[in-house]
Short mmCIF file of all heavy atoms in Angstrom, two decimals:
data_model
loop_
_atom_site.label_atom_id
_atom_site.label_comp_id
_atom_site.label_asym_id
_atom_site.label_seq_id
_atom_site.Cartn_x
_atom_site.Cartn_y
_atom_site.Cartn_z
N MET A 28 38.25 2.71 28.88
CA MET A 28 37.26 2.92 27.83
C MET A 28 35.87 2.71 28.39
O MET A 28 35.65 1.87 29.26
CB MET A 28 37.47 1.94 26.68
CG MET A 28 38.76 2.09 25.92
SD MET A 28 38.76 0.96 24.49
CE MET A 28 40.51 1.02 24.06
N ALA A 61 31.45 10.68 14.65
CA ALA A 61 31.69 9.77 13.53
C ALA A 61 30.75 10.14 12.38
O ALA A 61 29.54 10.23 12.56
CB ALA A 61 31.46 8.32 13.96
N ALA A 64 29.25 6.52 7.17
CA ALA A 64 30.13 5.63 6.40
C ALA A 64 31.54 6.21 6.27
O ALA A 64 32.05 6.36 5.16
CB ALA A 64 29.53 5.36 5.02
N PRO A 65 32.19 6.51 7.39
CA PRO A 65 33.52 7.13 7.30
C PRO A 65 34.59 6.12 6.90
O PRO A 65 34.50 4.93 7.22
CB PRO A 65 33.76 7.63 8.73
CG PRO A 65 33.01 6.65 9.58
CD PRO A 65 31.79 6.26 8.78
N GLY A 66 35.62 6.60 6.22
CA GLY A 66 36.82 5.82 5.99
C GLY A 66 37.86 6.23 7.00
O GLY A 66 37.65 7.15 7.80
N LEU A 67 39.02 5.59 6.95
CA LEU A 67 40.08 5.91 7.91
C LEU A 67 40.56 7.36 7.77
O LEU A 67 40.76 8.03 8.79
CB LEU A 67 41.24 4.93 7.77
CG LEU A 67 42.36 5.05 8.81
CD1 LEU A 67 41.81 5.05 10.23
CD2 LEU A 67 43.36 3.91 8.63
N LEU A 70 38.06 9.50 9.60
CA LEU A 70 38.16 9.36 11.05
C LEU A 70 39.38 10.10 11.58
O LEU A 70 39.29 10.81 12.59
CB LEU A 70 38.22 7.88 11.44
CG LEU A 70 38.41 7.60 12.93
CD1 LEU A 70 37.26 8.16 13.76
CD2 LEU A 70 38.59 6.11 13.20
N ASP A 110 28.09 8.96 18.04
CA ASP A 110 27.63 8.16 16.89
C ASP A 110 28.64 7.07 16.55
O ASP A 110 28.90 6.78 15.37
CB ASP A 110 27.36 9.04 15.67
CG ASP A 110 26.09 9.87 15.81
OD1 ASP A 110 25.18 9.40 16.50
OD2 ASP A 110 26.03 10.97 15.24
N ALA A 111 29.19 6.45 17.58
CA ALA A 111 30.21 5.43 17.38
C ALA A 111 29.67 4.19 16.68
O ALA A 111 30.45 3.38 16.16
CB ALA A 111 30.83 5.03 18.73
N GLN A 112 28.35 4.04 16.62
CA GLN A 112 27.77 2.89 15.91
C GLN A 112 28.07 2.93 14.42
O GLN A 112 27.93 1.92 13.73
CB GLN A 112 26.25 2.82 16.15
CG GLN A 112 25.43 3.87 15.41
CD GLN A 112 25.38 5.20 16.14
OE1 GLN A 112 26.03 5.39 17.16
NE2 GLN A 112 24.60 6.14 15.61
N ARG A 113 28.51 4.08 13.91
CA ARG A 113 28.83 4.20 12.49
C ARG A 113 30.23 3.65 12.15
O ARG A 113 30.56 3.49 10.98
CB ARG A 113 28.77 5.67 12.06
CG ARG A 113 27.39 6.30 12.17
CD ARG A 113 27.48 7.79 11.92
NE ARG A 113 26.17 8.42 11.89
CZ ARG A 113 25.98 9.74 11.86
NH1 ARG A 113 27.02 10.54 11.84
NH2 ARG A 113 24.76 10.24 11.84
N LEU A 114 31.02 3.36 13.17
CA LEU A 114 32.40 2.94 12.92
C LEU A 114 32.46 1.45 12.62
O LEU A 114 31.88 0.62 13.33
CB LEU A 114 33.26 3.26 14.14
CG LEU A 114 33.35 4.75 14.52
CD1 LEU A 114 34.17 4.92 15.78
CD2 LEU A 114 33.95 5.56 13.38
N THR A 115 33.19 1.11 11.58
CA THR A 115 33.38 -0.29 11.19
C THR A 115 34.46 -0.92 12.07
O THR A 115 35.25 -0.21 12.72
CB THR A 115 33.80 -0.37 9.72
OG1 THR A 115 35.03 0.34 9.57
CG2 THR A 115 32.74 0.23 8.82
N PRO A 116 34.55 -2.25 12.10
CA PRO A 116 35.59 -2.90 12.90
C PRO A 116 37.01 -2.39 12.61
O PRO A 116 37.78 -2.18 13.56
CB PRO A 116 35.42 -4.38 12.55
CG PRO A 116 33.95 -4.51 12.31
CD PRO A 116 33.57 -3.25 11.59
N PRO A 117 37.41 -2.16 11.34
CA PRO A 117 38.77 -1.64 11.12
C PRO A 117 38.99 -0.27 11.77
O PRO A 117 40.08 0.02 12.29
CB PRO A 117 38.88 -1.56 9.60
CG PRO A 117 37.92 -2.58 9.10
CD PRO A 117 36.77 -2.53 10.05
N LEU A 118 37.96 0.59 11.76
CA LEU A 118 38.10 1.91 12.38
C LEU A 118 38.15 1.80 13.91
O LEU A 118 38.91 2.51 14.57
CB LEU A 118 36.94 2.82 11.95
CG LEU A 118 36.84 3.10 10.45
CD1 LEU A 118 35.71 4.08 10.17
CD2 LEU A 118 38.15 3.64 9.91
N LEU A 119 37.35 0.90 14.44
CA LEU A 119 37.40 0.68 15.89
C LEU A 119 38.75 0.10 16.29
O LEU A 119 39.29 0.41 17.36
CB LEU A 119 36.26 -0.25 16.31
CG LEU A 119 34.85 0.36 16.21
CD1 LEU A 119 33.78 -0.72 16.38
CD2 LEU A 119 34.66 1.46 17.26
N ASP A 120 39.31 -0.74 15.42
CA ASP A 120 40.63 -1.28 15.72
C ASP A 120 41.70 -0.19 15.67
O ASP A 120 42.68 -0.23 16.42
CB ASP A 120 40.99 -2.39 14.74
CG ASP A 120 42.17 -3.22 15.22
OD1 ASP A 120 42.07 -3.80 16.33
OD2 ASP A 120 43.21 -3.27 14.52
N TYR A 121 41.50 0.82 14.82
CA TYR A 121 42.43 1.96 14.79
C TYR A 121 42.37 2.71 16.12
O TYR A 121 43.41 3.10 16.67
CB TYR A 121 42.07 2.89 13.64
CG TYR A 121 42.99 4.08 13.54
CD1 TYR A 121 44.31 3.94 13.10
CD2 TYR A 121 42.55 5.36 13.87
CE1 TYR A 121 45.16 5.03 13.00
CE2 TYR A 121 43.39 6.46 13.78
CZ TYR A 121 44.69 6.28 13.34
OH TYR A 121 45.54 7.38 13.25
N LEU A 122 41.18 2.87 16.67
CA LEU A 122 41.05 3.50 17.99
C LEU A 122 41.76 2.67 19.05
O LEU A 122 42.39 3.21 19.97
CB LEU A 122 39.58 3.68 18.35
CG LEU A 122 38.77 4.67 17.51
CD1 LEU A 122 37.32 4.67 17.95
CD2 LEU A 122 39.35 6.07 17.60
N ARG A 123 41.64 1.35 18.93
CA ARG A 123 42.34 0.47 19.88
C ARG A 123 43.84 0.69 19.81
O ARG A 123 44.52 0.77 20.83
CB ARG A 123 42.00 -0.99 19.60
CG ARG A 123 42.74 -1.98 20.51
CD ARG A 123 42.66 -3.39 19.99
NE ARG A 123 43.27 -3.55 18.69
CZ ARG A 123 44.59 -3.64 18.50
NH1 ARG A 123 45.44 -3.56 19.51
NH2 ARG A 123 45.08 -3.80 17.27
N GLN A 124 44.38 0.82 18.60
CA GLN A 124 45.81 1.03 18.44
C GLN A 124 46.25 2.35 19.08
O GLN A 124 47.30 2.41 19.73
CB GLN A 124 46.18 1.02 16.95
CG GLN A 124 46.00 -0.33 16.28
CD GLN A 124 46.23 -0.25 14.78
OE1 GLN A 124 47.12 0.44 14.32
NE2 GLN A 124 45.41 -0.95 14.01
N LEU A 125 45.45 3.39 18.91
CA LEU A 125 45.78 4.66 19.55
C LEU A 125 45.75 4.54 21.07
O LEU A 125 46.62 5.06 21.77
CB LEU A 125 44.79 5.74 19.10
CG LEU A 125 44.83 6.17 17.62
CD1 LEU A 125 43.74 7.20 17.36
CD2 LEU A 125 46.20 6.72 17.25
N LEU A 135 38.73 6.93 26.75
CA LEU A 135 37.94 6.90 25.52
C LEU A 135 36.49 6.61 25.87
O LEU A 135 36.20 5.61 26.53
CB LEU A 135 38.48 5.83 24.57
CG LEU A 135 37.72 5.61 23.26
CD1 LEU A 135 37.73 6.87 22.40
CD2 LEU A 135 38.30 4.43 22.48
N LEU A 137 32.87 6.09 24.06
CA LEU A 137 32.14 5.86 22.81
C LEU A 137 30.65 5.89 23.10
O LEU A 137 30.18 5.26 24.06
CB LEU A 137 32.53 4.51 22.21
CG LEU A 137 34.02 4.34 21.87
CD1 LEU A 137 34.34 2.89 21.58
CD2 LEU A 137 34.39 5.20 20.68
N GLY A 141 23.18 1.77 19.42
CA GLY A 141 23.74 0.64 18.68
C GLY A 141 25.24 0.55 18.77
O GLY A 141 25.85 -0.32 18.14
N SER A 142 25.86 1.43 19.54
CA SER A 142 27.33 1.39 19.65
C SER A 142 27.79 0.09 20.29
O SER A 142 28.87 -0.42 19.96
CB SER A 142 27.84 2.59 20.44
OG SER A 142 27.24 2.66 21.73
N GLU A 143 26.97 -0.48 21.17
CA GLU A 143 27.37 -1.73 21.81
C GLU A 143 27.42 -2.87 20.78
O GLU A 143 28.25 -3.78 20.88
CB GLU A 143 26.43 -2.07 22.98
CG GLU A 143 25.09 -2.68 22.62
CD GLU A 143 24.06 -1.70 22.05
OE1 GLU A 143 24.41 -0.54 21.77
OE2 GLU A 143 22.90 -2.11 21.89
N ARG A 144 26.53 -2.80 19.78
CA ARG A 144 26.53 -3.82 18.73
C ARG A 144 27.72 -3.64 17.79
O ARG A 144 28.30 -4.62 17.32
CB ARG A 144 25.22 -3.78 17.96
CG ARG A 144 24.00 -4.17 18.80
CD ARG A 144 22.76 -4.36 17.94
NE ARG A 144 22.32 -3.13 17.32
CZ ARG A 144 21.51 -2.24 17.90
NH1 ARG A 144 21.09 -2.45 19.15
NH2 ARG A 144 21.13 -1.16 17.26
N ALA A 145 28.08 -2.38 17.53
CA ALA A 145 29.26 -2.12 16.69
C ALA A 145 30.51 -2.66 17.37
O ALA A 145 31.36 -3.28 16.73
CB ALA A 145 29.39 -0.62 16.42
N LEU A 146 30.62 -2.43 18.68
CA LEU A 146 31.79 -2.90 19.41
C LEU A 146 31.83 -4.42 19.49
O LEU A 146 32.91 -5.02 19.57
CB LEU A 146 31.83 -2.30 20.82
CG LEU A 146 32.64 -1.00 20.95
CD1 LEU A 146 32.04 0.12 20.12
CD2 LEU A 146 32.76 -0.58 22.41
N ALA A 147 30.66 -5.04 19.47
CA ALA A 147 30.61 -6.50 19.52
C ALA A 147 31.27 -7.11 18.29
O ALA A 147 31.74 -8.26 18.33
CB ALA A 147 29.17 -6.98 19.62
N ARG A 148 31.33 -6.35 17.19
CA ARG A 148 31.95 -6.86 15.96
C ARG A 148 33.45 -6.55 15.91
O ARG A 148 34.11 -6.89 14.93
CB ARG A 148 31.24 -6.24 14.75
CG ARG A 148 29.77 -6.65 14.63
CD ARG A 148 29.17 -6.21 13.31
NE ARG A 148 29.03 -4.77 13.22
CZ ARG A 148 27.94 -4.10 13.61
NH1 ARG A 148 26.91 -4.74 14.13
NH2 ARG A 148 27.89 -2.78 13.48
N ALA A 149 33.96 -5.89 16.93
CA ALA A 149 35.39 -5.57 17.00
C ALA A 149 35.92 -6.11 18.32
O ALA A 149 36.07 -5.40 19.30
CB ALA A 149 35.61 -4.06 16.90
N SER A 150 36.18 -7.40 18.34
CA SER A 150 36.45 -8.10 19.60
C SER A 150 37.66 -7.55 20.34
O SER A 150 37.68 -7.52 21.58
CB SER A 150 36.61 -9.60 19.34
OG SER A 150 37.65 -9.83 18.40
N ALA A 151 38.69 -7.11 19.61
CA ALA A 151 39.89 -6.63 20.28
C ALA A 151 39.59 -5.37 21.09
O ALA A 151 40.06 -5.21 22.22
CB ALA A 151 41.00 -6.36 19.26
N LEU A 152 38.78 -4.47 20.53
CA LEU A 152 38.42 -3.26 21.26
C LEU A 152 37.40 -3.57 22.35
O LEU A 152 37.50 -3.08 23.47
CB LEU A 152 37.86 -2.20 20.31
CG LEU A 152 37.48 -0.87 20.97
CD1 LEU A 152 38.73 -0.14 21.46
CD2 LEU A 152 36.71 0.01 20.01
N ARG A 153 36.41 -4.41 22.00
CA ARG A 153 35.37 -4.76 22.97
C ARG A 153 35.97 -5.31 24.26
O ARG A 153 35.52 -4.98 25.36
CB ARG A 153 34.42 -5.79 22.36
CG ARG A 153 33.25 -6.19 23.26
CD ARG A 153 32.58 -7.44 22.75
NE ARG A 153 33.49 -8.57 22.81
CZ ARG A 153 33.55 -9.54 21.91
NH1 ARG A 153 32.77 -9.52 20.85
NH2 ARG A 153 34.39 -10.55 22.04
N SER A 154 37.00 -6.13 24.12
CA SER A 154 37.59 -6.75 25.31
C SER A 154 38.29 -5.73 26.21
O SER A 154 38.57 -6.03 27.37
CB SER A 154 38.58 -7.84 24.90
OG SER A 154 39.71 -7.28 24.24
N ARG A 155 38.56 -4.54 25.66
CA ARG A 155 39.25 -3.51 26.44
C ARG A 155 38.30 -2.51 27.08
O ARG A 155 38.73 -1.64 27.83
CB ARG A 155 40.25 -2.76 25.53
CG ARG A 155 41.49 -3.60 25.20
CD ARG A 155 42.22 -3.00 24.01
NE ARG A 155 43.53 -3.62 23.79
CZ ARG A 155 43.72 -4.81 23.25
NH1 ARG A 155 42.66 -5.54 22.86
NH2 ARG A 155 44.94 -5.29 23.07
#
Side-chain angles (χ1 to χ4, degrees):
M28 295 186 194
L67 186 51
L70 177 61
D110 287 330
Q112 73 277 5
R113 296 172 175 171
L114 299 177
T115 60
L118 299 184
L119 290 169
D120 195 59
Y121 181 71
L122 293 177
R123 177 194 62 78
Q124 293 174 40
L125 293 178
L135 177 62
L137 300 167
S142 56
E143 79 285 8
R144 294 191 294 274
L146 267 63
R148 296 189 291 270
S150 57
L152 181 68
R153 183 194 64 216
S154 67
R155 287 163 170 76

